[in-house]
């Protein structure tokens, strides 16, 4: 996206968001102009953590973050994408499509932890659709990726084992899918 389009998008975002988010959106413009990708990533996380940002998260990912995604750490991109995906209705096919597109953006060879993190989230989404076999395949792939990595980040391990536990609950007690849908953030 050309710089002019980014500037225009951020101006629109500034007008659409509540005043509580304006300082963060201002940071987006400053950091983007200066190519301060790490600081911009931190500002994005700050934005995503703010309760008023929920209606703007998917749009921000699609129109802004996708512009500089090649410049940030792939695990941070995966964490941002998974967090944003939770704002899409879990019962919607768009939720799965979003996660699959995110998975495709992260090459396995370049960052296996990030890929495994997205696979774990995708496996959880498939559990919500009662696709136990698809979930199992994603969990097995994520598990094999994590086996070959030294020093797996805690958030990746936590995501993987949380989904693995949910998979085993669903596998042995089919009614658990209903409770998973209710507990999905």
């Amino acid at each position: 996206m050309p710089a002019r389009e980014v500037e225009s998008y951020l101006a629109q975002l500034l007008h659409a968001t509540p005043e509580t988010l304006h300082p963060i959106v201002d940071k987006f413009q400053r950091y983007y102009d200066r190519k301060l990708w790490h600081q911009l990533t931190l500002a994005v996380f700050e934005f995503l953590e703010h309760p008023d940002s929920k209606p703007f998260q998917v749009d921000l990912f699609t129109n802004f973050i996708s512009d500089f995604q090649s410049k940030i750490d792939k695990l941070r991109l995966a964490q941002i994408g998974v967090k944003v995906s939770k704002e899409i209705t879990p019962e919607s096919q768009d939720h799965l499509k979003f996660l699959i597109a995110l998975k495709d953006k992260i090459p396995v060879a370049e960052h296996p932890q990030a890929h495994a993190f997205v696979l774990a989230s995708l496996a959880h989404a498939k559990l919500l659709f009662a696709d136990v076999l698809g979930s199992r395949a994603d969990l097995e792939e994520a598990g094999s990726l994590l086996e070959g990595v030294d020093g797996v980040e805690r958030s990746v391990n936590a995501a993987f084992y949380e989904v693995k536990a949910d998979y085993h609950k669903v596998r042995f007690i089919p009614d658990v899918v209903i409770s998973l849908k209710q507990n999905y953030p």
Side-chain angles (χ1 to χ4, degrees):
M1 182 184 302
R4 189 174 296 213
E5 287 181 30
V6 168
E7 200 173 293
S8 172
Y9 171 74
L10 290 176
Q12 290 173 357
L13 183 65
L14 187 64
H15 291 295
T17 57
E19 284 189 30
T20 55
L21 293 172
H22 289 184
I24 303 171
V25 176
D26 287 336
K27 287 180 190 178
F28 290 167
Q29 186 67 57
R30 280 196 316 270
Y31 296 153
Y32 185 87
D33 289 343
R34 294 181 186 167
K35 298 180 170 102
L36 299 172
W37 308 122
H38 175 70
Q39 289 84 347
L40 183 55
T41 303
L42 295 176
V44 167
F45 276 110
E46 182 183 356
F47 182 85
L48 296 178
E49 291 300 320
H50 200 288
D52 293 341
S53 73
K54 291 184 185 271
F56 307 100
Q57 290 181 5
V58 176
D59 188 53
L60 181 80
F61 190 88
T62 306
N63 294 313
F64 181 59
I65 297 168
S66 61
D67 182 64
F68 62 90
Q69 68 190 12
S70 64
K71 298 178 177 37
I72 63 174
D73 179 67
K74 297 302 176 215
L75 182 55
R76 300 299 166 245
L77 175 65
Q79 290 169 335
I80 290 168
V82 167
K83 181 147 182 67
V84 168
S85 76
K86 292 179 180 178
E87 295 309 313
I88 301 170
T89 308
E91 294 84 15
S92 164
Q93 283 292 329
D94 293 338
H95 184 76
L96 282 175
K97 289 177 188 175
F98 184 89
L99 288 169
I100 291 168
L102 179 63
K103 180 186 73 147
D104 293 342
K105 292 177 183 180
I106 300 171
V108 180
E110 188 178 320
H111 208 302
Q113 282 190 72
H115 200 79
F117 186 75
V118 176
L119 278 170
S121 186
L122 187 57
H124 193 268
K126 288 180 180 179
L127 280 179
L128 296 176
F129 279 97
D131 180 6
V132 178
L133 294 177
S135 181
R136 179 180 175 183
D138 289 342
L139 278 171
E140 287 175 355
E141 185 180 349
S144 66
L145 286 172
L146 293 177
E147 283 176 6
V149 175
D150 291 334
V152 177
E153 192 166 306
R154 282 184 272 166
S155 64
V156 177
N157 261 337
F160 174 73
Y161 285 110
E162 179 183 10
V163 176
K164 194 164 188 171
D166 286 345
Y167 166 76
H168 286 291
K169 287 179 195 174
V170 169
R171 194 170 140 224
F172 294 112
I173 308 167
D175 293 338
V176 171
V177 173
I178 295 167
S179 69
L180 285 177
K181 286 182 180 180
Q182 293 169 346
N183 293 331
Y184 191 73

